[in-house]
Amino acid sequence: MTTLESALSRAERGDTLSADDAEALLGATGSDLERLLDAASAARDEGLRLAGREGIITYSRKVFLPLTTLCRDRCHYCVFVDTPGQLLAKRKPAYMSEQQVLSVARQGQALGCKEALLTLGDRPEDRWPEARAWLDEHGFASTLEYVGHVARLIREETGLLPHLNPGIMHPDELARLREVAPSMGVMLETTSRALFENKGEVHYGSPDKDPAVRLKLLDDAGRAKIPFTTGILVGIRETLRDRAESMVALRDAHERHGHIQEVIVQNFRAKPRTAMQNAADAKLAEYITAVAVTRLVFGPRMRIQVPPNLQDIAELEMLVRAGADDWGGVSPLTADHVNPERPWPHLDDLAARTNELGFELRERLTAHPEFLTDEWIADPLRASVAHLADPSSGLAREGQRPTGKGSRAPVDAISGDAHEGHGPGADSGDALGAPGGLIAAVIERAAQDPASLDDAEWSRLLTATGDELDALVQAADDVRRYTIGEAVSIVDNRNISGSLLNSAEPGGYDLRLLSEMARDAADLGLTEICVQGLVAGDPQGYLDIARTITGSAPRIHLHALRPQDVADLADRSGLGLRGALEAMTQAGVDTVPGTGVKILSERVRGLVAPGDLEIDRWTETIIAAHEAGFSSTSVLFYGHVETADERIAHLRELIRIQRRTGGFTEFVPIPMPGWGRPLVEGRSALDEHRAMVAVSRLMLTGVIPHIQLPWTRLGLDATAELLNAGGDDLGGTLRDGRVGASSGVEAGHELTFESAARLVKPLFRPLRQRTTTYREVADAAVRA
């Protein structure tokens, strides 16, 4: 019997480890675990030195394309797959169309992505007649034939490099797909036959999860000379022996063919509405040990990948110590559709955290540098790969964007440098104004290339009715689905009116009561307190509010002071704008609400809100706040005296600001209280909302990611409908709290998690708790 000590000694010497060794190492704890981690770190560092990229951790900038969520398998932990009935409930097609694929790919191209990850269910046509019917209607013999077609289309039109995860493939299929994709992948997950053969286990009833079938695929891919990604899944009721044998089986396949470019070690996360929804997540120590043992089983030269969105960013330190050297694909545009409740870390955050751990974050291509040779890359792909690869390191060429025959110079996501759009054409004005007109073509362009539309076209979309409006809404919801994903988010918060400080009005409070309110919010587990409203009297009251809240509840995020409040503080205190923002930082303000404006038009302000901050002053203040490090929301109040053109001009200005500062986290289209004037005479209130939300989603895609629905103004029924028009966020729970319950701007309105879950359940979309800035809340439950 192999002892832990003997296995550790072999690992430290760099010997080849057996399954017995790996099993023993997987049981390491305490000081033995410390030795294991040290050995894994040393092996990883040696491998990076040998590869010529010492001190570098890599990632791939990608878009995630869920080509179809139909599948013939029945994995007990999966929320990626849908049944045909669920597709109908979601208003979702059986397969992404070419247009939907290219819409996402082009947006990713504009954001500098280089990888197009195609993930899908295994051979759904073998189980679902609806899949077979779609393929027949569109002229494809199989799902895999459509995968090949789409992969070729993506590369030719955008220059993105496809990475294919289509499930089990036969040798002839691998050979055909090798011509259209530089790399492919399938997770082994586990070699456990018990999990496949025993009723009630995770892979029972899933023919494609037969370990023998998956291992044969690995050998077939190796013989086909395909750079291949695979890995194990930790925590699905496999034994330590299963885990050890899985690692060794993967190593054996790689030793036969040399084709495995990276091994993913993924931790199980329970998903709601699955057979394993009540199972415990993989424990962190267990997961870290598995990463370290995988590193030592494979040795220095293998890339070991851990998905950064499946753990808190603070936990990445232990994973790096365990020998990881790759974060995998991370998208600035699309959700992780397999784990919709776990958003990708922001790339700036990931780079900063990687740097804190002593490494540099560098972008790579979907095929790792060692595989960018003629032996591994098929001839039709070599020029596309060479265009994006740094010739000296084999990593991604910095600043290089993919180009394809369908490419046009995009608007730069950072600098905002504009490029000429297609426009409607010289003689298309009459057609756009006519019933039907060019609306279908305009909607398609809005989904695929929003920067190509001019203001007249966007205004035309805002006035769509009937079938045109339905088509617009469907396009917007498809863009939402295939970029932001299916998750509906909400922040647990409460509002406090700044105007009620020291007020005799109902809900008035002093600093002592405010301190109690803040402590109460912390005790209730809230993550945000929002403060808005002009403070009467001493302008230091703004800062007193902030200091009191942060002093009483230091872990709560303070979202406070609209541009109008900031300007008032700046003017009356004598601090000036820059000084006011510095004082807010010192007082503990984290982010600012971007409210206090209806439409960015002086004409409109003079008619409906003359007391609001002047438009140029609002713009100056929000830009200064962003540049001082405060992110903010953005809003538009509609349905009063504004025109369609003024709405579009407002959105254009938000886009301009966002390209300069990157400070807006979401956009909130809000119906103006007490008005309800439609843009189109006779159009229902719901259709007015649908048009506004849909145009917002399409126009702001790739610029401002989230569309928040103000449920207190819309009502819950309309809010649910607008979640199918491009909306993805419910804002806040707006809890009143147990102290000072009437001190909030919208006191008396609460949306509990249970109520929010009931709202999204018929839509078959998961509900996730977020932070103010759309990060993950540590230890937050996924509620749906």
Side-chain angles (χ1 to χ4, degrees):
M1 178 179 176
T2 301
T3 66
L4 176 57
E5 176 58 37
S6 63
L8 276 169
S9 296
R10 279 192 285 276
E12 288 167 334
R13 291 195 302 268
D15 294 349
T16 299
L17 302 179
S18 67
D20 290 339
D21 292 326
E23 183 180 10
L25 293 172
L26 286 166
T29 60
S31 60
D32 291 330
L33 178 57
E34 293 296 316
R35 285 178 61 190
L36 178 72
L37 296 177
D38 288 344
S41 290
R44 184 266 324 285
D45 293 344
E46 173 66 6
L48 291 177
R49 187 189 65 78
L50 292 171
R53 48 182 184 272
E54 193 169 358
I56 289 174
I57 290 180
T58 48
Y59 82 102
S60 176
R61 194 178 182 99
K62 73 176 181 184
V63 293
F64 189 138
L65 295 160
L67 196 61
T68 179
T69 54
L70 294 172
C71 183
R72 71 176 179 178
D73 293 323
R74 298 172 173 85
C75 299
H76 293 193
Y77 48 73
C78 182
V79 292
F80 177 77
V81 301
D82 293 301
T83 65
Q86 289 169 332
L87 292 181
L88 285 173
K90 293 180 178 181
R91 308 178 192 180
K92 183 177 177 181
Y95 292 77
M96 291 181 74
S97 67
E98 294 177 9
Q99 293 77 15
Q100 289 167 336
V101 166
L102 289 177
S103 171
V104 178
R106 284 175 176 142
Q107 291 170 46
Q109 177 192 30
L111 291 171
C113 297
K114 298 177 179 65
E115 173 188 344
L117 169 64
L118 273 69
T119 293
L120 54 146
D122 275 83
R123 301 183 187 271
E125 64 270 30
D126 289 356
R127 179 182 178 189
W128 300 112
E130 292 84 352
R132 180 71 270 162
W134 191 96
L135 292 168
D136 289 345
E137 180 183 351
H138 292 82
F140 295 99
S142 67
T143 295
L144 287 176
E145 184 179 332
Y146 185 52
V147 169
H149 171 76
V150 166
R152 181 179 290 107
L153 186 69
I154 289 169
R155 184 182 58 80
E156 291 178 350
E157 292 293 321
T158 70
L160 292 176
L161 302 177
H163 176 81
L164 308 183
N165 281 347
I168 298 302
M169 296 163 280
H170 303 312
D172 59 326
E173 295 164 332
L174 287 165
R176 287 193 295 270
L177 292 175
R178 184 180 185 272
E179 300 296 306
V180 298
S183 60
M184 303 179 209
V186 166
M187 290 286 284
L188 171 62
E189 297 191 13
T190 180
T191 55
S192 171
R193 295 212 61 81
L195 296 184
F196 173 69
E197 294 172 350
N198 295 342
K199 189 173 183 179
E201 295 294 352
V202 293
H203 292 153
Y204 182 78
S206 300
D208 299 292
K209 293 302 175 77
D210 184 337
V213 171
R214 293 177 100 73
L215 289 170
K216 181 179 184 302
L217 167 62
L218 284 171
D219 278 329
D220 290 340
R223 283 187 283 268
K225 293 293 183 181
I226 295 171
F228 215 74
T229 298
T230 186
I232 64 171
L233 185 55
V234 177
I236 54 173
R237 294 202 288 259
E238 80 282 13
T239 66
L240 294 185
R241 183 68 186 185
D242 294 332
R243 209 171 289 164
E245 290 179 349
S246 300
M247 297 172 188
V248 171
L250 292 177
R251 185 190 63 195
D252 291 348
H254 180 62
E255 288 179 346
R256 287 191 291 272
H257 309 290
H259 65 307
I260 295 179
Q261 60 171 356
E262 60 192 344
V263 175
I264 302 171
V265 185
Q266 182 171 329
N267 51 321
F268 167 75
R269 290 278 191 177
K271 305 288 192 300
R273 294 198 299 270
T274 67
M276 291 187 71
Q277 63 182 347
N278 296 319
D281 290 348
K283 295 179 180 178
L284 180 60
E286 179 182 20
Y287 177 45
I288 290 166
T289 305
V291 173
V293 176
T294 303
R295 160 60 66 200
L296 294 168
V297 165
F298 277 89
R301 292 186 179 274
M302 180 57 67
R303 306 280 75 83
I304 302 298
Q305 180 189 129
V306 291
N309 61 316
L310 297 187
Q311 31 273 320
D312 295 333
I313 201 161
E315 296 170 353
L316 300 184
E317 177 180 5
M318 294 300 294
L319 295 171
V320 168
R321 193 165 169 227
D325 57 7
D326 187 81
W327 299 130
V330 179
S331 180
L333 176 69
T334 55
D336 179 351
H337 295 284
V338 173
N339 300 282
E341 79 288 358
R342 305 290 300 191
W344 306 112
H346 290 219
L347 282 170
D348 288 346
D349 292 345
L350 188 61
R353 184 61 177 148
T354 304
N355 185 258
E356 289 171 2
L357 299 176
F359 291 84
E360 178 187 358
L361 183 66
R362 289 283 303 277
E363 184 185 2
R364 60 167 173 82
L365 303 184
T366 178
H368 283 257
E370 294 81 0
F371 293 86
L372 302 185
T373 65
D374 290 353
E375 178 185 7
W376 294 102
I377 303 297
D379 182 66
L381 306 174
R382 290 170 190 163
S384 297
V385 171
H387 175 70
L388 296 175
D390 182 280
S392 59
S393 68
L395 298 173
R397 194 191 300 256
E398 290 189 19
Q400 186 81 318
R401 291 192 177 186
T403 57
K405 68 181 182 183
S407 301
R408 71 177 186 89
V411 173
D412 190 281
I414 303 301
S415 70
D417 293 339
H419 301 264
E420 184 179 356
H422 300 298
D427 58 353
S428 63
D430 291 341
L432 278 173
L438 299 179
I439 195 76
V442 174
I443 291 171
E444 182 175 335
R445 281 177 40 228
Q448 292 194 30
D449 190 7
S452 73
L453 271 67
D454 66 17
D455 289 357
E457 291 170 308
W458 286 117
S459 293
R460 173 68 175 86
L461 294 182
L462 274 175
T463 60
T465 59
D467 291 344
E468 291 180 352
L469 178 57
D470 290 342
L472 173 70
V473 165
Q474 184 62 60
D477 203 43
D478 285 342
V479 167
R480 183 273 308 160
R481 171 179 293 116
Y482 296 127
T483 55
I484 297 302
E486 297 287 14
V488 177
S489 53
I490 190 169
V491 63
D492 200 4
N493 71 345
R494 73 161 292 171
N495 280 346
I496 296 174
S497 171
S499 300
L500 290 174
L501 176 65
N502 298 324
S503 171
E505 298 293 323
Y509 57 88
D510 57 18
L511 294 179
R512 179 194 58 78
L513 182 58
L514 178 62
S515 177
E516 292 179 17
M517 286 191 278
R519 284 195 294 270
D520 176 62
D523 290 343
L524 290 171
L526 276 61
T527 62
E528 172 192 292
I529 292 177
C530 177
V531 181
Q532 303 183 68
L534 293 171
V535 171
D538 187 347
Q540 287 296 318
Y542 291 110
L543 303 177
D544 290 339
I545 288 173
R547 293 188 192 102
T548 299
I549 291 172
T550 56
S552 304
R555 297 187 65 184
I556 283 186
H557 183 106
L558 181 56
H559 183 60
L561 306 194
R562 308 164 301 162
Q564 188 165 14
D565 306 329
V566 176
D568 185 51
L569 171 62
D571 292 346
R572 293 200 291 125
S573 69
L575 289 169
L577 181 53
R578 179 176 294 181
L581 292 167
E582 290 175 355
M584 288 162 54
T585 299
Q586 293 168 7
V589 176
D590 295 300
T591 56
V592 298
T595 50
V597 67
K598 307 302 184 288
I599 292 277
L600 293 170
S601 159
E602 279 296 340
R603 182 192 79 84
V604 171
R605 188 183 74 86
L607 291 172
V608 302
D612 279 359
L613 200 61
E614 296 85 354
I615 301 306
D616 59 353
R617 190 83 190 279
W618 184 93
T619 303
E620 175 195 16
T621 305
I622 202 69
I623 289 174
H626 290 175
E627 292 179 344
F630 298 101
S631 62
S632 78
T633 56
S634 60
V635 301
L636 180 154
F637 283 79
Y638 63 93
H640 41 92
V641 304
E642 87 288 0
T643 65
D645 289 346
E646 285 170 327
R647 292 190 196 180
I648 297 305
H650 180 104
L651 293 174
R652 288 279 191 208
E653 179 65 2
L654 294 182
I655 290 170
R656 184 190 72 81
I657 294 170
Q658 181 74 342
R659 286 181 178 144
R660 173 172 170 176
T661 69
F664 292 129
T665 51
E666 72 247 69
F667 173 70
V668 193
I670 306 173
M672 184 80 161
W675 287 79
R677 180 180 294 177
L679 272 184
V680 178
E681 191 66 33
R683 191 165 66 173
S684 71
L686 179 60
D687 282 351
E688 287 288 321
H689 303 326
R690 293 170 73 215
M692 187 67 236
V693 171
V695 167
S696 302
R697 167 58 69 195
L698 292 169
M699 192 169 178
L700 298 177
T701 291
V703 182
I704 301 176
H706 300 285
I707 304 298
Q708 183 184 123
L709 303 175
W711 57 267
T712 59
R713 305 293 176 87
L714 295 163
L716 294 182
D717 289 343
T719 297
E721 186 66 31
L722 296 175
L723 286 169
N724 284 326
D728 71 289
D729 184 74
L730 295 174
T733 57
L734 301 182
R735 293 214 257 171
D736 291 331
R738 299 165 299 192
V739 179
S742 59
S743 297
V745 175
E746 300 187 78
H749 295 87
E750 288 188 329
L751 184 64
T752 65
F753 283 112
E754 292 72 23
S755 297
R758 286 194 296 271
L759 183 73
V760 304
K761 185 176 182 179
L763 308 178
F764 290 92
R765 290 171 64 180
L767 181 70
R768 80 170 181 94
Q769 184 181 348
R770 63 167 174 87
T771 67
T772 305
T773 54
Y774 289 82
R775 268 67 162 182
E776 277 298 292
V777 177
D779 302 321
V782 177
R783 308 162 196 255

